[in-house]
Amino acid sequence: MITDADADFHEPTSDGQTWAETNFFGCYVPGATPDAAPINIGVYALFRPNAGVVISTVHINSRFVDQPWQGDFWDAQHHLAIPEPRNLRDYTLANGLSVKTIEPNRVWDVAYSNGRNVDLHFRYTALMPAYDISDPAQDPITAAQQADTSFAWGAAYKGHFDQTGRFEGELTLRGQKHAIDCVSTMDHSWGLRDEHQGHNMTWLHAHFSKDFAIHGIFDLDHSAGPDTPTEGAVTHGYVLDHGEVYGIRAGRNRVIRQGFYAKALEIEVEDVRGKTHHLTGFGRTSFPWQAGPGTVGYNVLAEWRRRDDADARGWGEIQEFVGPQFLTDLYSARAAAAASAAVDGAH
């Protein structure tokens, strides 16, 4: 269960350098017309209290890109000092990012300026309580795992919540102003987090209004390489339906890929009411978000459809995380196979 105290820094359970505390705020500006490009916005801070530093990234993008510098804006700084005295409820970093808690785990004011051509500010207001994926009272998949005597708690099931809310503010990007008024999902994590991405995962959400949204975390297997369709089982998630939150107890996703990006995606999930939800998402932007040097997030802002409401249109991000070491193993194996085939062909 998440309490007001979880808005503060947590006492590290280890003196290791990889203990981390994170905040992520992701929002978007839908296209003003069907032909206009939407804008995806991500603001992230990863504190390493035992090391005294912060990794922070700010990315803004309205296109399909393969390199972060091809996007509209990318600011990644990995050795910012943690401001003293340390206060996760109210901090300003040297990269121009400031985050202030107005109501713990419910309302934040976020602002960023690079001092030159990007200014961003918004208020995030929660539409639901924080969803604790390690709390069996909230998450039915965690409850089932806890009931299994062979299940052992791991770091992935501790210190994390997701939450859907409303973002209201403004982005000024190279002199052009864009109003921000959307429903999206933030998260907050704490615990040991290695420099290397240890497992692949899909973290996604679809928002149709303040009354209906779906968030899910899914297994991800990229071992077949780029351009290969994938399927993954849901591991945690919820449905926000007219102010009530219903944990997801089962489901899968199916992804058609362009490279490693989700070009189109279907999800089918069942919530604790026994109600099944079918969604289809179509990638409208792509961006390779490196939240840290040891991970790659193949991020897509998707436009979503609901099978049970043909007129409904939603927006939300698909974030798919893969470790660079996994990718180098994959591409090295492919290069070796191609070289071997070339030698065999020469004979």
Side-chain angles (χ1 to χ4, degrees):
M1 179 180 179
I2 303 302
T3 69
D4 286 358
D6 291 310
D8 296 309
F9 279 112
H10 295 79
E11 185 68 27
T13 59
S14 165
D15 59 3
Q17 300 281 300
T18 60
W19 174 272
E21 189 114 19
T22 75
N23 278 328
F24 173 77
F25 297 93
C27 58
Y28 52 89
V29 179
T33 67
D35 296 327
I39 302 173
N40 194 28
I41 303 166
V43 176
Y44 182 67
L46 185 153
F47 293 81
R48 293 204 183 276
N50 293 340
V53 298
V54 189
I55 293 172
S56 181
T57 67
V58 178
H59 63 271
I60 301 167
N61 185 47
S62 62
R63 300 186 284 272
F64 292 92
V65 302
D66 292 314
Q67 305 296 336
W69 47 85
Q70 293 173 328
D72 293 285
F73 182 75
W74 171 236
D75 181 8
Q77 300 190 37
H78 291 171
H79 292 91
L80 299 165
I82 298 179
E84 301 288 353
R86 297 183 179 186
N87 183 359
L88 194 62
R89 296 195 189 204
D90 189 354
Y91 61 87
T92 298
L93 303 180
N95 66 339
L97 172 65
S98 64
V99 176
K100 185 173 184 178
T101 301
I102 306 304
E103 297 179 31
N105 305 319
R106 179 169 175 80
V107 182
W108 284 267
D109 283 342
V110 178
Y112 168 81
S113 176
N114 72 341
R116 190 168 61 88
N117 56 9
V118 175
D119 287 284
L120 170 69
H121 63 87
F122 57 79
R123 169 164 286 190
Y124 168 88
T125 304
L127 294 170
M128 57 176 280
Y131 189 85
D132 184 352
I133 68 170
S134 69
D135 184 354
Q138 284 188 296
D139 192 277
I141 294 177
T142 292
Q145 290 168 330
Q146 191 175 25
D148 180 357
T149 57
S150 66
F151 177 74
W153 286 101
Y157 298 95
K158 295 179 181 291
H160 177 91
F161 73 76
D162 303 292
Q163 187 181 66
T164 298
R166 185 174 181 181
F167 290 75
E168 299 172 280
E170 185 178 74
L171 165 68
T172 302
L173 177 62
R174 297 184 178 87
Q176 187 171 359
K177 295 184 182 297
H178 305 272
I180 298 171
D181 187 355
C182 68
V183 175
S184 193
T185 298
M186 61 81 64
D187 76 356
H188 176 47
S189 300
W190 58 95
L192 287 169
R193 180 168 299 197
D194 195 73
E195 284 288 326
H196 297 136
Q197 181 76 24
H199 63 281
N200 298 347
M201 61 173 287
T202 299
W203 186 90
L204 62 79
H205 40 75
H207 315 93
F208 292 86
S209 71
K210 65 181 180 61
D211 293 321
F212 188 81
I214 291 179
H215 168 71
I217 302 173
F218 294 80
D219 289 330
L220 175 63
D221 182 0
H222 266 44
S223 59
D227 301 313
T228 304
T230 62
E231 293 191 12
V234 68
T235 58
H236 301 282
Y238 59 79
V239 177
L240 175 63
D241 191 352
H242 290 82
E244 298 295 325
V245 180
Y246 303 96
I248 291 172
R249 66 186 183 191
R252 298 191 66 82
N253 70 8
R254 293 170 291 276
V255 187
I256 303 300
R257 299 190 177 280
Q258 182 173 324
F260 281 121
Y261 292 103
K263 183 177 182 180
L265 179 146
E266 292 183 347
I267 65 173
E268 180 179 319
V269 294
E270 180 184 350
D271 66 33
V272 291
R273 298 172 294 181
K275 186 172 183 178
T276 300
H277 307 271
H278 302 263
L279 303 183
T280 303
F282 302 92
R284 300 306 186 209
T285 71
S286 69
F287 188 84
W289 175 41
Q290 280 198 269
T295 185
V296 177
Y298 291 98
N299 287 14
V300 167
L301 179 62
E303 188 174 357
W304 292 90
R305 305 285 191 272
R306 293 173 59 182
R307 183 181 294 181
D308 61 349
D309 186 349
D311 295 327
R313 296 291 183 270
W315 291 92
E317 195 167 22
I318 303 166
Q319 300 184 359
E320 301 196 285
F321 296 100
V322 183
Q325 291 189 340
F326 167 85
L327 294 171
T328 55
D329 287 345
L330 174 67
Y331 282 109
S332 294
R334 287 190 160 204
S340 177
V343 171
D344 291 342
H347 295 290

